[in-house]
Amino acid sequence: MAHEIRELKTVDEWKMAFPVMKQLRTHLTVEEFVDLVTEMQPQGYRLFALMDEGKVAAVTGVAQQLNLYYGKNMYVYDLVTDEAGRSKGYGEAILSYIHELARELGCGKVALTSGLQRVDAHRFYEDKMGYERKSYAFVREL
């Protein structure tokens, strides 16, 4: 598979990745997406894309964190493969890239949450990528 994974650092690159990210974050407009990424960057948020033949095939947004329960870890906020490219190994490739990046940065773990309805994603994380289901995430609207 001829592809490259690279960090997206400019607004134009973020906009190029938005159609794929929108498949996961359906509530966002491109303007909201750019505004949020801009605001999240000083907190360590980084956006990466797997490019195949010049097109965005998968996108992930991550940030290095430090907390009491995982220590130094890489948190995956967003991970999505373009619907047209699913089951081609793109998700595995970009997540493996993040695992290596986390190791290079001295992280001991990579963590993520996934919506309860995303059964196929859970199967991918557990069966293909070796993740363990460790907790429930709770949210309260204010």
Side-chain angles (χ1 to χ4, degrees):
M1 178 171 30
H3 64 263
E4 74 164 318
I5 298 171
R6 62 184 170 97
E7 187 167 3
L8 306 179
K9 296 183 177 184
T10 69
V11 170
D12 285 342
E13 290 175 326
W14 302 342
K15 287 180 178 179
M16 176 185 66
F18 180 72
V20 175
M21 182 66 81
K22 175 87 173 160
Q23 294 173 32
L24 178 66
R25 305 293 179 219
T26 56
H27 64 286
L28 292 177
T29 65
V30 67
E31 294 81 13
E32 291 168 329
F33 174 66
V34 168
D35 288 348
L36 285 166
V37 172
T38 300
E39 194 171 338
M40 291 166 66
Q41 274 198 316
Q43 302 167 26
Y45 184 83
R46 299 169 70 183
L47 201 56
F48 294 87
L50 183 144
M51 307 294 295
D52 190 10
E53 298 181 10
K55 295 184 178 152
V56 175
V59 179
T60 188
V62 301
Q64 186 177 309
Q65 295 184 335
L66 180 65
N67 53 43
L68 295 174
Y69 47 96
Y70 291 145
K72 192 173 185 182
N73 69 91
M74 183 69 73
Y75 190 81
V76 179
Y77 284 97
D78 318 283
L79 176 63
V80 59
T81 298
D82 186 25
E83 288 172 340
R86 299 221 172 119
S87 298
K88 292 185 178 179
Y90 297 141
E92 182 177 2
I94 200 167
L95 195 52
S96 294
Y97 179 89
I98 295 305
H99 293 167
E100 189 55 39
L101 175 65
R103 276 188 208 94
E104 290 172 11
L105 294 171
C107 297
K109 291 184 176 21
V110 174
L112 57 84
T113 59
S114 180
L116 294 172
Q117 76 283 6
R118 300 189 67 223
V119 176
D120 290 340
H122 304 162
R123 191 175 312 111
F124 166 74
Y125 295 132
E126 292 175 325
D127 297 346
K128 188 136 189 134
M129 300 305 297
Y131 281 71
E132 294 178 68
R133 205 174 295 214
K134 290 288 193 178
S135 67
Y136 289 101
F138 295 92
V139 176
R140 180 177 172 176
E141 296 290 331
L142 299 177

